[in-house]
Amino acid sequence: YMVLTREYLIHGFEVSFGGNIFDFGKDGVYGFAGANFSIENKLYLIGEYDNIKQMPQNRINLGINFFVADKVGVKVVGRNLFKGIQSERIAIVNYIGEF
């Protein structure tokens, strides 16, 4: 995959565009576009429109990532929104560290 990201208009607002190929033998290029906005490196608002190739398979994903401590984040995401029972809700707790 390939992604191009740039900060636009205000500090902390990033917009990304890109494409990926899942199966080189059978599929073509799928596109995606996303944006995120960070508030004081503690709260991130995330939006994404992905799987752009054929209209019924497109997905809208929205989420929030909140850092409760310097290295611990809690992310809540809605994936494939507005598709009824195909929609998913995801909660993730991340620890960022090294060893």
Side-chain angles (χ1 to χ4, degrees):
Y1 69 92
M2 182 172 161
V3 180
L4 303 170
T5 302
R6 181 170 181 174
E7 189 173 65
Y8 281 104
L9 302 175
I10 57 175
H11 180 69
F13 180 67
E14 296 179 338
V15 178
S16 301
F17 300 96
N20 66 307
I21 299 174
F22 177 72
D23 185 350
F24 285 97
K26 297 179 183 177
D27 274 340
V29 177
Y30 289 84
F32 55 89
N36 67 61
F37 181 64
S38 67
I39 301 170
E40 296 185 15
N41 291 331
K42 290 282 187 188
L43 179 68
Y44 291 80
L45 306 174
I46 307 161
E48 178 184 51
Y49 183 58
D50 75 346
N51 208 27
I52 302 170
K53 183 175 179 180
Q54 298 174 343
M55 194 57 162
Q57 287 82 27
N58 296 358
R59 295 186 296 238
I60 296 174
N61 310 317
L62 298 173
I64 296 173
N65 191 7
F66 179 65
F67 281 88
V68 295
D70 286 341
K71 296 185 178 192
V72 179
V74 176
K75 186 183 290 187
V76 178
V77 178
R79 183 173 171 204
N80 206 16
L81 296 176
F82 315 114
K83 298 284 180 130
I85 61 171
Q86 295 176 344
S87 296
E88 300 177 53
R89 293 169 303 280
I90 303 166
I92 302 168
V93 176
N94 285 326
Y95 172 75
I96 301 167
E98 53 192 61
F99 54 92

